[in-house]
Amino acid sequence: MDENFLQRVHAMVRAATAEDQAFSDLMPQVMKESQGLPPVVLNTAMLKMGEGITAAPPNLGCWLAIMVGAWVENGATTFGVDEPVLNKALDVAGTAAAFAEAWRKATGGDPPSPSEGRPSQEIVDTLGPHLPDPVAAMLAWFAMERFALSAGTMLAKSADLRAGISDREGKAALTGGLAEHCEQMGWVAGLLRVLDGERLLVLDRESGHGWTVTIGGIGDNFQLHTLLAGALLGRPGGLPGTPPEAEIIACFLDAETPPGRPIITSPWNLVDAHGEWIYNEGVPADIPAVNGTRVVVLDPPPYERSFPAGRRYPLLTGSLDLNGMHLPEDLNGWWPHISPVRS
C-alpha cells in the first residue's frame, strides 16, 4: 500500500506541475488516502511534495501546500517541504501585494476577497493595463490564503526553518501588509519575527539582581512574562513570590491550555532599557538591545494586570532557560545604561 500511495503522490505532483486536468481527480484521492497513513509513510512523500510546491503554478501548488501542512500537524516531518512552502508563500505574497496595489490604482477601491472571491476574466481585464502578467497575479491572490496557512504550520513546527530566515523584518513587513486582506498572512508575519536561541538580560530594579535567560519559540510577551515568572518567582537565586502553577507554565511551553483558559495575574511591569513599557501584546523581537543584548527590567506593576493562559501560536513550542544569576556588583557596568521607567 505504501508503494501505491507514493506512486499516486508522484502522479499528482506531475499533474500539478504540468497543469494536467488529472490533478483534480488525484488530489482528493491522495488527500483521503493519506488520512489513514502513519507519519513514517507520509515522510517518504515529503521531498516529492516539496518539488511540486516549488514547480507548480500557485493555484495548484497551494493545494499541495495545504496537504503537507495537514500531514505535519498530524505528526509528519517538515523536512523537504518547510523551505519550499515558505519560499512559495513569500513569492506569492510579493505578487499578491502587487495585485492589491494595481487593483487600487485601477478601481480606487479594495481588491476582492481572496477567500470568498474567484478568478475571472473581469479581474484580468481590470488589471491588464497595470500589471505585466495579470493572470499570474490573480492566481497568486486567490492562492495566498492556503499558502499562508501552510507556511504558518511550517514556521511553528520547524525551528530550523525559522533559524534560516534572512531579512526577517522585511519579510514580516511584506506578509503583515497583506493581513488586512488575509488574516493568515498576519499570522505568518508574527511567526517570522519569533526569536530562537536569543539571550536576554533580565534586571530587577528593586534588588539590583539580574539573570541571563535564553528564549525560543515565544509568540508574544504574555508568554515571555509568564515564563519569566515561572523561572524566577520562589526559586533559589530568584525573587520572592509564588510562581504560576505547573499546568499554567506547561501551557505556555508545549501543553494544551487547561479548560476554561485560567486567568493569570501579572507579577511585574516589564520595561526596556530606555524606560519604555514592554507591552504584553508585543513580541520579544520588539525589545531593544543594549550592546547587542536585549534587556528586560522588572518593575512593580502600576495596577493589577491579568490575562488568560495559553500560547498565541498553539503549534509553536516555547522555551525559557535560566542560564545564570548576576549579583548587583556584577552589574555595575549595566545600570548606567538603564533609564528610569517612563510613566
Side-chain angles (χ1 to χ4, degrees), residues 22-166:
F23 179 79
S24 61
D25 293 325
L26 288 164
M27 190 272 291
Q29 290 177 20
V30 173
M31 177 68 87
K32 182 177 180 180
E33 184 177 351
S34 69
Q35 292 173 358
L37 295 176
V40 66
V41 175
L42 300 175
N43 292 347
T44 62
M46 288 303 202
L47 285 173
K48 178 54 66 174
M49 291 290 279
E51 292 173 7
I53 290 164
T54 298
N59 59 312
L60 302 182
C62 67
W63 292 106
L64 301 181
I66 282 290
M67 197 178 300
V68 297
W71 295 355
V72 168
E73 291 189 22
N74 287 322
T77 182
T78 63
F79 180 78
V81 294
D82 51 3
E83 287 189 18
V85 166
L86 180 59
N87 290 340
K88 196 73 172 199
L90 292 170
D91 181 61
V92 162
T95 306
F99 176 101
E101 182 180 357
W103 186 272
R104 290 194 179 98
K105 185 181 298 184
T107 69
D110 291 331
S113 167
S115 59
E116 298 175 5
R118 298 183 62 182
S120 68
Q121 186 60 47
E122 181 183 357
I123 292 174
V124 174
D125 294 340
T126 299
L127 297 179
H130 304 280
L131 288 173
D133 191 344
V135 172
M138 178 179 65
L139 295 181
W141 180 258
F142 290 109
M144 73 169 165
E145 182 177 75
R146 295 183 183 92
F147 275 115
L149 282 167
S150 186
T153 296
M154 300 304 158
L155 286 165
K157 299 293 284 186
S158 176
D160 289 341
L161 178 65
R162 298 194 302 271
I165 296 169
S166 60

Side-chain angles (χ1 to χ4, degrees), residues 33-295:
E33 184 177 351
S34 69
Q35 292 173 358
L37 295 176
V40 66
V41 175
L42 300 175
N43 292 347
T44 62
M46 288 303 202
L47 285 173
K48 178 54 66 174
M49 291 290 279
E51 292 173 7
I53 290 164
T54 298
N59 59 312
L60 302 182
C62 67
W63 292 106
L64 301 181
I66 282 290
M67 197 178 300
V68 297
W71 295 355
V72 168
E73 291 189 22
N74 287 322
T77 182
T78 63
F79 180 78
V81 294
D82 51 3
E83 287 189 18
V85 166
L86 180 59
N87 290 340
K88 196 73 172 199
L90 292 170
D91 181 61
V92 162
T95 306
F99 176 101
E101 182 180 357
W103 186 272
R104 290 194 179 98
K105 185 181 298 184
T107 69
D110 291 331
S113 167
S115 59
E116 298 175 5
R118 298 183 62 182
S120 68
Q121 186 60 47
E122 181 183 357
I123 292 174
V124 174
D125 294 340
T126 299
L127 297 179
H130 304 280
L131 288 173
D133 191 344
V135 172
M138 178 179 65
L139 295 181
W141 180 258
F142 290 109
M144 73 169 165
E145 182 177 75
R146 295 183 183 92
F147 275 115
L149 282 167
S150 186
T153 296
M154 300 304 158
L155 286 165
K157 299 293 284 186
S158 176
D160 289 341
L161 178 65
R162 298 194 302 271
I165 296 169
S166 60
D167 187 23
R168 184 185 301 268
E169 293 295 335
K171 290 169 181 172
L174 168 63
T175 51
L178 290 164
E180 64 176 307
H181 309 294
C182 175
E183 181 182 6
Q184 292 76 13
M185 276 293 178
W187 291 99
V188 172
L191 285 161
L192 284 166
R193 301 192 70 222
V194 169
L195 302 177
D196 292 282
E198 182 81 7
R199 301 189 78 181
L200 307 180
L201 177 62
V202 181
L203 301 174
D204 178 51
R205 200 186 306 270
E206 183 176 357
S207 69
H209 285 77
W211 301 265
T212 297
V213 302
T214 300
I215 63 170
I218 291 182
D220 58 28
N221 293 331
F222 290 107
Q223 190 177 4
L224 173 64
H225 205 142
T226 306
L227 294 181
L228 281 172
L232 297 178
L233 289 180
R235 310 296 187 192
L239 290 168
T242 303
E245 296 177 2
E247 68 171 354
I248 298 298
I249 296 298
C251 79
F252 280 96
L253 294 170
D254 58 4
E256 292 186 5
T257 303
R261 295 197 72 185
I263 301 300
I264 305 165
T265 299
S266 170
W268 303 298
N269 191 39
L270 304 186
V271 178
D272 67 27
H274 305 300
E276 302 290 348
W277 286 19
I278 298 172
Y279 291 99
N280 282 337
E281 293 81 4
V283 297
D286 295 328
I287 301 170
V290 176
N291 298 327
T293 300
R294 300 181 198 271
V295 178

